[in-house]
Amino acid sequence: MIPASFDYRRAHDLDEATRWLGELGPEAKVLAGGHSLIPLMRLRLAQPSALVDIGRVPGLDTIRVDGDRLRIGALVRHAALARSEVVRRALPLLAEMAAEVGDQQVRARGTLGGVIAHADPAGDYPTLALMLDAEIVTTHGSHPARDFFQHLFTTPLQPDEVIREVTFPVAAGPHRYIKFRRRRCDWAIVGAAVQQSDGGWRLGLTNCGPTPMRARAAEAALAEGRTMAEAALQAAEGLTPPSDLRASSDYRRHLARVLTRRALEQAAA
Amino acid sequence: MAERVRLTINGVAREDLVEPRTLLVHYIREVAGLTGTHVGCDTSQCGACTVLVDGDAVKSCTAFAVQADGATITTIEGLARDGELHPLQQAFWDEHGLQCGYCTPGFIMASVKLLADTPEPSDDEIRIGLEGNLCRCTGYVNILKAVRTASRRMTEAGGAPTGGAAAGSAAARTAG
Amino acid sequence: MAVTQLIGARIQRREDPRLVTGHGRFTDDRSPRGCCVLQVVRSPHPHARIRSIDTARAAAHPDVLRVLTAADFRSVLHGAMPVTPSFVAEKRQVPERFPIATEEVVYQGEPVAVVVARDRAAAVDAAEWVVVDYEPLPAVVDPIAALDPAGPRAHAGAPDNVCWDVTYTGGDVAGAFADAELVVHGRIVQQRLAPTPIEGRVVVAEHDPYDERMTIWLGSQNPHFIRLFVSQALQMAETQVRVVSRDVGGGFGSKISPYPEDYLVPAAAKLVGRPVKWVETRTEAMAGTTHGRGQVFEADVAVRRDGTLLGMRLTQTLDVGAYCGTFGAFQAVAVYMAPGAYRWRGVEGRTIGVLTNRVPTDPYRGAGRPEGTHLVERMVDLVARELGMDQAEVRRRNFVTAFPFTNPFGFVYDSGNYHGSLDLALAAVDYPSLRRRQAEGRAAGRYLGIGLSTYVEICGFGPSAPTAGATGGIALVEGAQVRVFPTGSVAVYVGTHAHGQGHDTTFAQIVADTLGVPMEQVELHHGDTDEGTGFGYGTYGSRSLSVGGMAVRGASLLVREKARRLAAHLLEAAEADVLVERGRFAVRGSPASSRSFQEVALAAYGANLPSGMEQGLEAVHYFDPANFVWPFGAHVCVVEVDPDTGQVTIERYVAVDDCGTVINPMIVEGQVQGGIAQGIAQALFEEVVYDPDSGQLRTGTLLDYLVPTMSELPVPECSRQVTPSPTNELGVKGVGEAGTIAASVAVINAICDALQPLGIRHVDMPASPDRLWQQLQEVRRP
């Protein structure tokens, strides 16, 4: 299939992008790596009136540590995240996640900013962003991750608002992400992420609800000194994961517990 | 409104007017006339359309031609040099790494990038590198072998993407 | 036969240089000058009445040439799409199918209108503007539910949904059950699968109104049958229609039958007066290209307590889909193959073809034989389990050992050595130590499973007598023409079609050996109905080598005999004294006196011929095999199941296949590896899912229909046993489907074996983690 017709503009900087998005209205969309948007457009499930291509905007593909924050430009691609020595040192869990996004070709094109803006609860980075209290820095200001993933594909981003960068806390302690799926190139059926940070555990779950989820009851249990196996039993507390072709809601809840336990045990090992 | 696209494909500079919605793969096949790059799905799964864009393996069905403005593109037609097959092309042939041949250009282009990044990949690294490509005929067994063989020949030849093409082919042709 | 140079040699494929360089000739790679693009408007409903179709806005698009509906096509297309008897001659109702819906749509994806435009973008845009007013009707998407007399009909006004309901009985079934010491029951679901060749279907047609010629380029396993069917519908002579199928990106059975677009595109070319191209998208393929499998089996097996198999009663409920596929009833062969590799006193099989509001099913790699094999191999394992016997032991006790062997339905297995292949496979995995490791693992909470599949399959369709009736008149033989040019180069035309199987290489090996010429001198042609013999029978059912290859061999022998007679004349020797050795014709006892093949070829076009011999050196041969051929083998799959997640990991896969004489071992291995991959894919990954309530297809893309990648599939360890077929001179059988036929049940048997201690008796496909977890939850419940 071919997408419906649209106007195309290539922005030279984010001011221009924001201005154009404002002029073109809410039917215009931002194009970066295109790996969420173009397949939807090919199926004509998305028919934006215009695309503002920010792919050439300079300065958005940087990775740097700034104090205790890891700052990653919105246009940094999965492959670059996976390879980056800076990321591997400052937040190895992010590099490991990036190495398991999609496939080689997808990792060459897809961007961190694109995944965050798309706000698909099956995406991996939103889980990490939420559990580690990342900040999503945009042309209009900054959103804490806990306020950003509002619902399925829903964020507070305004039509003319563009993500500049995402900042994560530096965290190089024990960590693990287990991404459970039928085919290695697929989205997670359930993903369980664990990161030890400031002495405590942060636990995140992918594809267990309309947004990324934090397993707070299990986090609390660990903080109270319960064993990993005991705490993991509470990983599905409060979750109502979706049922779809891949898995029932019950099975996802079960996986949330099993994978959280395994991730904790493997991280600690 | 049509947009101007200037790019280089297989060493040839081109300039064309395209509709923004023109997918890169359709540009390659229909505007540039290079039909070795194929389409097998609508959703970026099959990888039959894989080409190199500025050295990266990219699914050309998931990019607009306008996004490739200024890029250097290599397609399957651009791999052989002076009538000599690229070591990967030769290895796919030698190892029976293809049956119907439809997915083959995509596999070879993804493998070119894989071996550029990882000249001596483990089997697992080959699998991970090629999981963006679907083959329905081979069960992937001989594709794995072909990439191993090409890796070995390219490493022996000093990593250059030439030479090694003739190595082993004569023997492979007759060894019963 | 004599030891030869090329037959049996691992020779690289001559198809490959063009394919590895991007110079293949796939259908979408060419467009005639002035070619337009056709887009199909399809039904979004599984079942609806068409109230009206408003084409005005689409027709007004500046780049649209015509918008066509059934009423337009009725002027150029005549009759209904064909349905062959295949394995069920006695059909009760066969809904008439026109290539485009007229008043009622009966499956999601059925063509309703087409837009012909100057370019693809315009065609797709305008197709969205065609407004169809539908009155939705109740739909039925489950074949078992479709048998409910009170339920909806797939076609409004039909008496019921039964396409056929036939029972075949072979041997003494009643006696077998009367003597049974135990009856074991099984219910096995064969999910619907999408064949999914990576190249979708493409049709290009050009009509020449002055010479009254229609040329159709498309990807087909079966170009001559397409010409036969489409020329009839267009009311054109076969001589006026040329069908060309060059490189085809995989078929797997889904490119045998004619499709609506095969008619609509040439008809549109005629109506519009311009060449027309249609390129299927993957989304269209998932909904509109035929599916395979889609069957439910119930079986009872009567046994003695010592493990002797006595009798089987089975019912196959087959989801025909909304129309009977042209060769859809072929899948009923599952009943005939249910006896498998074993001796039975009697087998009774009922097959019920059921109409549903889903795309028709038709052959998909193996077509009925994977299902028959899966059934019998599961049932044998269930027998072993109920009796507490080893799975290999039950098989050994019941194997057919003397050949030819007539199975209960009268089919004659030509040759076999079932014990031999099982012994080789079990030795390869060191079966006793594997069983020990399994026992140790269980004690430690690890669930290792060993699955066996000792299959036999029928292929090489087929002898003329049974197959003429199955196609409705055309006997499935094969024709080949061998032409030798004055310089000695050889052109071979064959009616089979290669789309990955490497016939250009293997058939050339046969010709080169037979004529004693270098392979480079032999060129193969197929896929163009303007060339070669009057009819070609296509490639499916692993028939190409054992029928087509033998036709090539036969035509080559005719050429060789003529050349030998001519050589005798030139050498002034008696015909009987002229030997053919490596391309030279020599007189027995005086090797110095000889003529090369080239010299004889040139002489064949000269004046010095024996009396009564005509000029030229070419021959046509049609090969009609005396029987089907019966490949067999033993596969062993070793899995580990994670009881916490239901995840299955294949640890090892060992295959011993016996397809008779091997022409090119490299190609045989490739066929087996690819076949196994598709069997594993069925066992663990793939399933076409329709929503049970709305009837909507839920696996409409490759995101949801899980074709496995390189990361999901094991590297099988393949080896061979060679038991030549007595059915043909070369001793060849077939191998294109063997891996798929064997593999699904090897995997499932292994999973069931792994989970036996947890109380799981049977697992259906795909054995996805969530399915296994659900089943484990059920047995864990107190």
Side-chain angles (χ1 to χ4, degrees), chain C residues 659-748:
Chain C
C659 59
T661 304
V662 168
I663 306 293
N664 185 329
M666 178 189 82
I667 285 178
V668 166
E669 282 158 25
Q671 290 294 310
V672 171
Q673 290 160 352
I676 289 170
Q678 290 187 18
I680 293 173
Q682 174 174 17
L684 295 179
F685 295 99
E686 297 180 15
E687 179 174 28
V688 173
V689 179
Y690 285 83
D691 187 274
D693 299 320
S694 68
Q696 293 285 316
L697 177 66
R698 293 183 67 190
T699 47
T701 69
L702 292 180
L703 267 171
D704 295 315
Y705 188 81
L706 304 183
V707 175
T709 79
M710 198 188 261
S711 282
E712 284 74 52
L713 291 170
V715 174
E717 301 158 53
C718 299
S719 61
R720 262 190 314 280
Q721 184 184 248
V722 177
T723 308
S725 168
T727 307
N728 58 64
E729 178 212 348
L730 293 179
V732 296
K733 294 187 175 178
V735 76
E737 296 159 295
T740 306
I741 289 167
S744 69
V745 74
V747 177
I748 294 297

Side-chain angles (χ1 to χ4, degrees), chain C residues 318-387:
Chain C
L318 193 155
D319 178 0
V320 164
Y323 297 103
C324 190
T326 302
F327 296 98
F330 183 93
Q331 301 169 100
V333 74
V335 170
Y336 289 129
M337 290 310 294
Y342 311 104
R343 285 172 277 117
W344 303 83
R345 274 171 59 188
V347 177
E348 178 182 283
R350 179 181 180 194
T351 172
I352 310 172
V354 184
L355 295 160
T356 61
N357 294 111
R358 314 205 271 190
V359 76
T361 58
D362 221 32
Y364 163 54
R365 202 170 192 169
R369 290 157 288 158
E371 298 94 313
T373 301
H374 200 99
L375 174 76
V376 68
E377 293 299 294
R378 276 302 298 134
M379 294 311 296
V380 166
D381 265 29
L382 286 172
V383 166
R385 178 194 171 113
E386 305 261 330
L387 295 175

Side-chain angles (χ1 to χ4, degrees), chain C residues 278-337:
Chain C
W278 168 74
V279 181
E280 183 186 56
T281 64
R282 180 58 55 189
T283 317
E284 284 179 295
M286 297 308 292
T289 289
T290 55
H291 296 158
R293 318 285 192 261
Q295 298 157 42
V296 179
F297 291 86
E298 299 270 357
D300 285 308
V301 170
V303 294
R304 283 211 194 93
R305 293 222 166 262
D306 65 359
T308 305
L309 302 172
L310 298 172
M312 174 160 32
R313 286 199 178 103
L314 72 118
T315 299
Q316 173 195 43
T317 305
L318 193 155
D319 178 0
V320 164
Y323 297 103
C324 190
T326 302
F327 296 98
F330 183 93
Q331 301 169 100
V333 74
V335 170
Y336 289 129
M337 290 310 294

Side-chain angles (χ1 to χ4, degrees), chain A residues 233-258:
Chain A
L233 286 177
Q234 298 187 45
E237 199 93 322
L239 295 185
T240 48
S243 284
D244 55 28
L245 281 178
R246 300 276 211 285
S248 66
S249 182
D250 281 347
Y251 180 57
R252 282 203 164 89
R253 288 169 55 84
H254 170 75
L255 281 180
R257 292 186 284 261
V258 171

Side-chain angles (χ1 to χ4, degrees), chain B residues 97-112:
Chain B
L98 62 149
Q99 290 180 23
C100 80
Y102 192 78
C103 71
T104 311
F107 266 99
I108 290 177
M109 299 314 290
S111 302
V112 168

Side-chain angles (χ1 to χ4, degrees), chain C residues 225-500:
Chain C
F225 270 104
I226 300 296
R227 180 181 63 175
L228 176 69
F229 295 141
V230 175
S231 65
Q232 284 176 342
L234 289 166
Q235 293 189 336
M236 296 174 78
E238 273 183 277
T239 50
Q240 294 172 306
V241 176
R242 176 185 178 203
V243 173
V244 184
S245 177
R246 298 286 189 210
D247 285 325
V248 175
F252 314 114
S254 70
K255 294 174 184 171
I256 302 173
S257 294
Y259 280 89
E261 296 83 359
D262 301 355
Y263 298 84
L264 298 177
V265 175
K270 206 170 175 176
L271 287 167
V272 174
R274 297 264 298 265
V276 170
K277 176 188 271 192
W278 168 74
V279 181
E280 183 186 56
T281 64
R282 180 58 55 189
T283 317
E284 284 179 295
M286 297 308 292
T289 289
T290 55
H291 296 158
R293 318 285 192 261
Q295 298 157 42
V296 179
F297 291 86
E298 299 270 357
D300 285 308
V301 170
V303 294
R304 283 211 194 93
R305 293 222 166 262
D306 65 359
T308 305
L309 302 172
L310 298 172
M312 174 160 32
R313 286 199 178 103
L314 72 118
T315 299
Q316 173 195 43
T317 305
L318 193 155
D319 178 0
V320 164
Y323 297 103
C324 190
T326 302
F327 296 98
F330 183 93
Q331 301 169 100
V333 74
V335 170
Y336 289 129
M337 290 310 294
Y342 311 104
R343 285 172 277 117
W344 303 83
R345 274 171 59 188
V347 177
E348 178 182 283
R350 179 181 180 194
T351 172
I352 310 172
V354 184
L355 295 160
T356 61
N357 294 111
R358 314 205 271 190
V359 76
T361 58
D362 221 32
Y364 163 54
R365 202 170 192 169
R369 290 157 288 158
E371 298 94 313
T373 301
H374 200 99
L375 174 76
V376 68
E377 293 299 294
R378 276 302 298 134
M379 294 311 296
V380 166
D381 265 29
L382 286 172
V383 166
R385 178 194 171 113
E386 305 261 330
L387 295 175
M389 291 177 68
D390 182 86
Q391 294 94 322
E393 178 52 31
V394 177
R395 286 174 168 79
R396 285 204 177 99
R397 191 171 285 257
N398 293 284
F399 272 151
V400 170
T401 52
F403 297 89
F405 170 81
T406 304
N407 95 350
F409 295 114
F411 288 93
V412 180
Y413 299 4
D414 59 352
S415 65
N417 176 7
Y418 305 156
H419 281 283
S421 48
L422 179 59
D423 289 347
L424 284 173
L426 293 182
V429 295
D430 191 358
Y431 189 60
S433 81
L434 204 52
R435 285 285 176 208
R436 277 196 300 279
R437 196 151 71 78
Q438 179 182 44
E440 290 160 14
R442 282 175 181 173
R446 296 191 63 171
Y447 295 90
L448 195 74
I450 304 155
L452 308 183
S453 171
T454 47
Y455 74 98
V456 56
E457 61 143 323
I458 176 175
C459 68
F461 302 91
S464 58
T467 56
T471 70
I474 301 258
L476 298 181
V477 296
E478 196 52 80
Q481 178 179 32
V482 173
R483 295 182 186 162
V484 182
F485 296 96
T487 55
S489 54
V490 183
V492 180
Y493 299 83
V494 63
T496 52
H497 186 281
H499 31 279

Side-chain angles (χ1 to χ4, degrees), chain C residues 79-101:
Chain C
M81 288 174 65
V83 176
T84 65
S86 291
F87 278 99
V88 185
E90 318 87 333
K91 296 190 183 69
R92 277 173 37 182
Q93 58 170 330
V94 176
E96 191 172 295
R97 182 181 195 185
F98 191 66
I100 185 163

